[in-house]
Amino acid sequence: MEIPEFVETLDREGRLLVAAAEEAGVEAKVATCPGWQVRDLVRHTGMVHRWATAFVAEGYTSYHPDGGLPDLDEDELLTWFKEGHRTLVDTLAGASPDLRCWSFLPAPSPLAFWARRQAHETTVHRVDAESALGGEAAVIPPEFAVDGIDELLRGFHGRSRSRVRTEEPRVLRVRATDRPDAVWTVRLSSRPPLSERGEHAQVDVHAEVDCELAGPAARLYLALWNRVPFPNVTGDPSLVGLWREKSGITWS
């Protein structure tokens, strides 16, 4: 996916998020984030939007702390979110491709990183906001979901911070059933997971796999972010338990 596609997705997903928040009300419980109300979700996501905007707009070349959560509620909080979301979208859309600033996952450029990361950040939290309403969440396009799975497996869990580890080497396979090229082989050990995608992963297609997680890309995407159950699990279910327990990405 190209940068403008990520920015367009960020724009749409932020508007869907705040629409769900307005409909549910800030006191509603967020089913996918136990312990959170909608106000907590809106404050968090709005803070992240402003944090990301600062790197792109100011060109910080090293880590810069976020501005903290606002002491706002009800309509003021929702207006604050809309303003920050709009600023982030406009800042990314107007940024130079040659932008140099801090980022924390591999990407073709810092601008590509921030556009991609904020599109996925906002999409997952849009699903959270819609969970406060009950019913089915809005559709996530398969190609975007595949990109998000790749970012999670090869980006977040390729870092030394990943806690998804096993004492004995194990192999986890993730397969999107609606995208034939979307398969990942995740090698687990006492070190950070090593994930390979596509043809490189399929070289070992006959190797022993301890557990496979399969299903439509959008469902897998949300399951790997611990928002919904995995659609289809074959093999050792203890690896699903390991993923649920250790894979969470927390703000720090």
Side-chain angles (χ1 to χ4, degrees):
M1 293 180 63
E2 300 297 325
I3 291 172
E5 294 177 281
F6 285 122
V7 175
E8 181 180 348
T9 299
L10 167 63
D11 187 9
R12 180 183 66 250
E13 295 293 324
R15 288 186 280 108
L16 288 172
L17 189 160
V18 77
E22 289 174 330
E23 183 177 351
V26 298
E27 294 184 357
K29 294 181 179 179
V30 180
T32 51
C33 299
W36 268 21
Q37 293 178 306
V38 167
R39 61 167 56 89
D40 302 306
L41 176 66
V42 173
R43 286 170 179 162
H44 167 77
T45 312
M47 174 271 291
V48 173
H49 284 172
R50 283 167 167 75
W51 179 71
T53 298
F55 287 103
V56 179
E58 304 299 331
Y60 294 120
T61 56
S62 60
Y63 175 81
H64 187 76
D66 63 77
L69 300 176
D71 185 20
L72 298 172
D73 208 353
E74 302 287 351
D75 291 345
E76 288 185 334
L77 175 61
L78 297 173
T79 297
W80 173 85
F81 176 89
K82 292 175 186 177
E83 291 172 348
H85 170 248
R86 185 75 259 150
T87 300
L88 174 59
V89 170
D90 292 345
T91 298
L92 289 168
S96 169
D98 297 329
L99 169 73
R100 293 291 178 264
C101 67
W102 180 83
S103 59
F104 61 87
L105 294 178
S109 70
L111 181 58
F113 164 80
W114 284 110
R116 179 196 205 192
R117 177 82 289 278
Q118 291 310 299
H120 287 295
E121 175 85 10
T122 307
T123 298
V124 172
H125 287 318
R126 180 268 292 176
V127 171
D128 292 332
E130 291 178 344
S131 79
L133 296 170
E136 291 293 322
V139 172
I140 298 173
E143 61 273 18
F144 181 73
V146 166
D147 181 82
I149 294 171
D150 201 66
E151 183 203 42
L152 183 60
L153 294 179
R154 298 203 297 164
F156 278 105
H157 289 291
R159 302 186 300 170
S160 61
R161 297 175 61 176
S162 176
R163 299 183 300 122
V164 183
R165 306 187 186 208
T166 56
E167 292 184 7
E168 298 295 328
R170 310 297 298 280
V171 177
L172 177 67
R173 181 155 289 147
V174 177
R175 185 186 305 278
T177 54
D178 52 349
R179 285 294 183 273
D181 62 335
V183 55
W184 295 260
T185 299
V186 185
R187 302 186 183 281
L188 304 175
S189 68
S190 60
R191 299 177 61 82
L194 177 61
S195 299
E196 297 176 283
R197 179 185 171 188
E199 293 181 3
H200 296 294
Q202 292 180 34
V203 168
D204 298 324
V205 73
H206 298 299
E208 183 176 349
V209 174
D210 297 291
C211 181
E212 179 171 290
L213 311 175
R219 184 78 180 186
L220 276 180
Y221 172 64
L222 294 178
L224 288 164
W225 275 105
N226 296 318
R227 265 44 185 199
V228 300
F230 284 103
N232 187 34
V233 178
T234 55
D236 184 356
S238 71
L239 292 184
V240 175
L242 173 72
W243 185 267
R244 292 293 190 213
E245 181 183 357
K246 300 294 186 181
S247 70
I249 308 297
T250 58
W251 183 260
S252 60

